[in-house]
Amino acid sequence: MTSSDAPPFPDDLLKLQEQLHHANTEHHAFLARLPWSVEPLPGWARGERYSHRGDVPDSPGWSQEEVETVDRMWSEIRELSIAVADHPHWSTLPREDIVAARMELKQQARATAVAASPDAASATAS
């Protein structure tokens, strides 16, 4: 299935997928700002054990607020994922076309997100 012969997606499904993409982008950006370990742990020098990051500093761990924020974000991602996967639109497609249609939906949602926010372009590139 190519973009040209793909059936249009319902607006609510496209919006759900855009929300899921946005939630994932926010989640990854938030995690990138947190210490490397949830619990306080000592770091190590690259020579002690292999680390692709080089020397790893001590981790102060995450605050209770950070843990709750990550949990809330995961909950939102799960709910959006379920809503996209369980959308009635998928039952209207032949079974063999669902994977290609799902990939097309993701591409359309990402393109919409990038067009809406120039900052999203750098987040989707990684």
Side-chain angles (χ1 to χ4, degrees):
M1 175 181 283
T2 62
S3 298
S4 59
D5 62 359
F9 294 106
D11 288 339
D12 64 328
L13 177 57
L14 192 55
K15 183 160 179 73
L16 282 169
Q17 180 62 46
E18 289 168 0
Q19 290 172 341
L20 177 57
H21 175 71
H22 181 72
N24 272 312
T25 301
E26 282 186 348
H27 180 247
H28 287 287
F30 185 74
L31 288 176
R33 295 188 303 266
L34 294 178
W36 61 268
S37 174
V38 177
E39 299 295 326
L41 289 174
W44 61 87
R46 183 180 179 121
E48 293 175 29
R49 61 181 124 151
Y50 179 75
S51 172
H52 65 282
R53 296 185 286 180
D55 291 348
V56 177
D58 292 347
S59 173
W62 297 359
S63 69
Q64 186 60 35
E65 181 181 338
E66 290 166 334
V67 169
E68 290 169 2
T69 300
V70 170
D71 288 346
R72 180 188 49 77
M73 290 174 141
W74 264 121
S75 178
E76 179 184 10
I77 289 168
R78 277 191 302 274
E79 289 175 21
L80 288 167
S81 296
I82 291 167
V84 169
D86 286 348
H87 193 279
H89 174 71
W90 304 121
S91 65
T92 67
L93 300 176
R95 188 167 178 83
E96 61 273 8
D97 292 343
I98 291 176
V99 172
R102 179 74 177 101
M103 296 307 295
E104 180 66 25
L105 175 66
K106 288 180 181 184
Q107 290 174 353
Q108 283 186 25
R110 282 196 181 109
T112 302
V114 170
S117 170
D119 294 337
S122 61
T124 59
S126 56

